């Protein structure tokens, strides 16, 4: 198995289901607690919608939060352990589905919003999601992505697209075998929207109140009428 690949990402997450669920449910991740969790909820609330698809839903926290707002929410994830946990905790519809299998044929209908919250870290899998996004959205539906801010997440590496080694720095010792991730510049993220027929409507940079720096980048695109 290539150490820097979409396949390796799935392998890593299969190994880290229990510690990740614990970290999310116990609110151990400071940036999420301070800013990014609420930021993605507000981004979804900023556009009109009745139905939402959460791609890479993990243990289902966002599905549950959006369901509280009266939205009909479906969560999909490639990791069955996350989906089993999500189903056990209540609101929402959940399905095990690998990214490359997502299409308007494998999903039950179209959605007003498709949201990816820190769940687009691969290369070919991410390109597939953008390619099919217009076909799984209703007319004037929105595609919302929250990701690490390219300006602050690249470290000392050159500012260009490419695979990076993963790290669990700042997490508990229960985590193992960190997943690699595919770094994209801000320009490349914007191009993914534009080149796949999605009108880029808004860019949001949530600020970490402790550091004064952008904690993430949120991009909101809209499907063609």
């Amino acid at each position: 198995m290539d150490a820097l690949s979409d396949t390796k990402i799935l392998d890593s997450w299969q190994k880290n289901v229990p510690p990740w669920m614990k970290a999310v449910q116990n609110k151990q991740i400071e940036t999420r607690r301070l800013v990014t969790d609420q930021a993605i909820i507000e981004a979804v609330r900023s556009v009109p919608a009745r139905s939402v698809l959460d791609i890479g839903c993990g243990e289902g926290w966002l599905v549950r939060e959006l369901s509280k707002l009266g939205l009909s929410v479906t969560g999909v994830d490639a990791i069955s352990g996350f989906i089993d946990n999500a189903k056990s905790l209540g609101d929402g519809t959940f399905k095990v589905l690998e990214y490359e299998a997502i299409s308007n044929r494998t999903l039950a209908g179209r959605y007003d919003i498709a949201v990816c919250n820190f769940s687009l870290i691969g290369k070919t899998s991410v390109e597939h999601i953008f390619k099919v996004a217009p076909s799984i959205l209703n007319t004037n539906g929105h595609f919302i992505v929250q990701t690490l801010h390219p300006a602050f997440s690249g470290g000392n590496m050159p500012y260009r697209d490419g695979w990076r080694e993963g790290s669990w720095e700042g997490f508990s010792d229960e985590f193992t075998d960190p997943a690699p991730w595919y770094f994209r510049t801000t320009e490349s993220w914007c191009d993914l929207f534009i080149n796949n027929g999605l009108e880029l409507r808004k860019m949001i940079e949530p600020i970490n109140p402790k550091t004064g720096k952008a904690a993430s980048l949120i991009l909101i695109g809209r499907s063609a009428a």
Side-chain angles (χ1 to χ4, degrees), residues 147-152 159-161 183-194 200 203 205 217 219:
T147 187
L148 295 173
H149 199 298
F152 302 103
Y159 189 71
R160 60 172 178 262
D161 293 4
F183 175 85
R184 287 180 168 83
T185 65
T186 300
E187 180 180 357
S188 292
W189 279 112
C190 293
D191 284 346
L192 280 172
F193 282 84
I194 297 166
L200 189 56
M203 183 183 298
E205 298 172 292
L217 176 67
L219 299 166

Side-chain angles (χ1 to χ4, degrees), residues 116-132:
C116 298
N117 185 51
F118 293 113
S119 59
L120 298 183
I121 62 174
K123 186 180 187 298
T124 57
S125 59
V126 172
E127 292 164 358
H128 173 79
I129 292 297
F130 273 89
K131 182 179 179 180
V132 301

Side-chain angles (χ1 to χ4, degrees), residues 15-48:
K15 298 173 181 177
N16 289 287
V17 169
W20 180 256
M21 290 193 302
K22 184 186 297 184
V24 173
Q25 292 169 5
N26 294 339
K27 300 185 182 298
Q28 295 174 358
I29 307 171
E30 185 179 59
T31 54
R32 293 186 58 152
R33 189 173 65 247
L34 290 176
V35 57
T36 62
D37 280 3
Q38 190 59 36
I40 195 63
I41 292 171
E42 293 302 321
V44 171
R45 293 182 64 186
S46 72
V47 297

